[in-house]
Amino acid sequence: MTNTDRERHRERETAFYLFTQQRLPACKPVLTPAWVITIFLFTGFIFIPVGLVTLRASRSVVEIVERYDTECVPEPFRIDKVSYVQDDSIPKNCSLSLKVRKYMKAPIYIYYQLDNYYQNHRRYVKSRSDRQLLHGWKYHATSSCQPVEFNNNQPIVPCGLIAWSLFNDTFTFIRERAELKVNRKNIAWKSDRDHKFGKTVYPFNFQNGTLIGGGKLNPRIPLSDQEDLIVWMRTSALPSFRKLYGRIEEDLDADDVVVVHLMNNYNTYGFGGKKKLVLSTSSWLGGKNDFLGLACVFVGSSSVILAIVFMLLHLKSRRPYGDPSYLPWNRKSFSG
Ligand SMILES: *[C@@H]1O[C@H](CO)[C@@H](O)[C@H](O)[C@H]1NC(C)=O
């Protein structure tokens, strides 16, 4: 063979390559009724038990949710809550009593829940400087922090709207005149503490302006140990969210009454936000959320119902497979 012959031969070979001719080995399942019904039944028998187990875990979580933003404003101030909360001369303390319905096993997680609070607003989310949080105020390019970047020509650490608006309500818990110990350590992600907030970065010039947005920070504690700030700065994607405040490390019995002394400092009244206090136990699946379990049960039972429908159809009007008279162009009614 000459060279050109060989080339031509190769060309022809590629043109008749198995792929172009669609002759690759492949799985070609024939979806007979028996197969389809078995697959649907199998899906159902997997999903329903998984869903029930998940639902049971979620139902085993005991939760106490108490809204306090209105209740904690004294009656005479309720017409104008904004000026009440902004007036530093009025004491902000408030007491709630929570009744424990069911035995709660430690650790009991304490969350504050804010509703109608858009931490996902574009200008809010961007208003921070991750490099400053890690390296400190010597890092000057903090323009991303606007409008909370400088005060009195001095940089603010931590800068930005998110840090500025730090939540500042506080809670203490009392049961039968004894204070319940609240563990406030390890409430933030370890990766945030180790890699995002500096161990040598200290708050500086923070909440020093004329308008105070929220909580203050102890300037002698490095940012990596300011766990409330770290929790707050992991912004929430949805306008209704919970953030961890601490843990109660004692069991609570049914019918216990827990008295909460709180400082109602944080201003959510200006935009109609709600504040709630949440006590919750946890299961192996985390907190209370029925969605996953219900979704699994729904998918599983739909599969089983479909399997039953197909089975009935199959029993009622059986027909041979591969019968060409069913093809549309072989049917009498076909016109086209
Ligand atoms: C708490 O935050 C509010 C703003 O939401 C502020 O007016 C108030 O001064 C702050 N109080 C304390 C004690 O930090």
Side-chain angles (χ1 to χ4, degrees):
M1 264 201 288
T2 63
N3 257 353
T4 39
D5 271 349
R6 213 168 277 149
E7 243 160 53
R8 217 171 284 145
H9 181 71
R10 202 175 300 137
E11 252 167 40
R12 207 178 308 134
E13 227 173 35
T14 34
F16 287 91
Y17 190 57
L18 283 178
F19 181 69
T20 58
Q21 296 305 307
Q22 307 232 327
R23 281 209 198 128
L24 290 179
C27 163
K28 294 172 190 152
V30 181
L31 292 174
T32 59
W35 258 110
V36 173
I37 291 167
T38 323
I39 290 171
F40 273 117
L41 276 181
F42 183 74
T43 316
F45 286 132
I46 298 285
F47 272 80
I48 291 174
V50 169
L52 290 179
V53 169
T54 315
L55 209 53
R56 196 189 145 93
S58 160
R59 292 283 162 92
S60 74
V61 171
V62 186
E63 214 177 63
I64 303 177
V65 183
E66 180 83 10
R67 182 176 168 187
Y68 66 87
D69 55 287
T70 320
E71 210 177 302
C72 280
V73 179
E75 205 84 58
F77 296 103
R78 288 206 187 146
I79 332 150
D80 189 358
K81 296 180 191 131
V82 176
S83 41
Y84 163 79
V85 81
Q86 281 175 344
D87 188 344
D88 285 337
S89 63
I90 310 171
K92 300 291 176 348
N93 49 322
C94 171
S95 296
L96 305 171
S97 71
L98 309 177
K99 193 156 161 62
V100 180
R101 291 255 165 73
K102 264 164 88 182
Y103 168 73
M104 294 174 88
K105 191 171 163 39
I108 298 163
Y109 295 92
I110 308 163
Y111 301 91
Y112 52 89
Q113 177 175 338
L114 298 179
D115 292 333
N116 196 29
Y117 194 118
Y118 287 79
Q119 260 203 324
N120 55 7
H121 189 287
R122 180 177 150 82
R123 287 184 56 196
Y124 181 89
V125 173
K126 285 174 43 163
S127 185
R128 63 191 285 160
S129 163
D130 285 325
R131 291 190 63 188
Q132 190 209 51
L133 291 173
L134 189 57
H135 302 295
W137 67 276
K138 281 167 213 102
Y139 175 71
H140 284 296
T142 50
S143 57
S144 63
C145 280
Q146 272 170 5
V148 191
E149 193 184 357
F150 294 107
N151 183 38
N152 299 326
N153 290 323
Q154 298 257 50
I156 297 172
V157 182
C159 66
L161 273 173
I162 310 179
W164 174 80
S165 60
L166 176 63
F167 188 74
N168 67 355
D169 287 3
T170 57
F171 311 93
T172 48
F173 298 84
I174 289 156
R175 176 179 57 176
E176 289 161 11
R177 301 213 179 76
E179 187 168 337
L180 286 168
K181 278 229 178 59
V182 174
N183 184 353
R184 308 256 285 124
K185 289 261 166 265
N186 288 325
I187 56 173
W189 293 16
K190 189 170 170 2
S191 57
D192 280 359
R193 272 182 285 144
D194 292 349
H195 305 297
K196 293 204 145 180
F197 290 78
K199 289 187 176 51
T200 53
V201 182
Y202 293 84
F204 177 78
N205 198 21
F206 185 66
Q207 302 287 24
N208 247 349
T210 41
L211 185 61
I212 307 292
K216 302 190 170 58
L217 296 173
N218 181 345
R220 276 182 296 276
I221 299 176
L223 292 190
S224 61
D225 287 334
Q226 306 263 12
E227 296 203 49
D228 285 322
L229 176 78
I230 301 176
V231 169
W232 182 253
M233 295 208 57
R234 189 154 275 285
T235 50
S236 159
L238 296 174
S240 181
F241 57 88
R242 289 177 180 181
K243 285 186 183 289
L244 190 56
Y245 180 83
R247 273 180 238 98
I248 297 176
E249 283 172 344
E250 285 172 54
D251 295 359
L252 295 178
D253 288 315
D255 297 329
D256 273 358
V257 174
V258 177
V259 177
V260 187
H261 290 304
L262 64 90
M263 298 295 284
N264 184 24
N265 293 321
Y266 200 66
N267 183 4
T268 54
Y269 303 106
F271 53 87
K274 293 179 198 158
K275 298 196 277 188
K276 290 174 186 158
L277 175 67
V278 180
L279 298 186
S280 171
T281 60
S282 71
S283 69
W284 57 273
L285 251 178
K288 196 178 196 64
N289 190 344
D290 287 352
F291 179 80
L292 185 62
L294 289 178
C296 283
V297 169
F298 178 76
V299 169
S301 34
S302 317
S303 295
V304 170
I305 289 171
L306 276 180
I308 292 170
V309 169
F310 286 157
M311 210 178 315
L312 292 178
L313 281 178
H314 179 58
L315 292 179
K316 197 167 149 272
S317 49
R318 199 186 273 267
R319 67 170 171 83
Y321 313 128
D323 183 348
S325 69
Y326 280 95
L327 291 170
W329 51 86
N330 289 340
R331 281 200 205 150
K332 288 215 179 70
S333 58
F334 179 69
S335 55

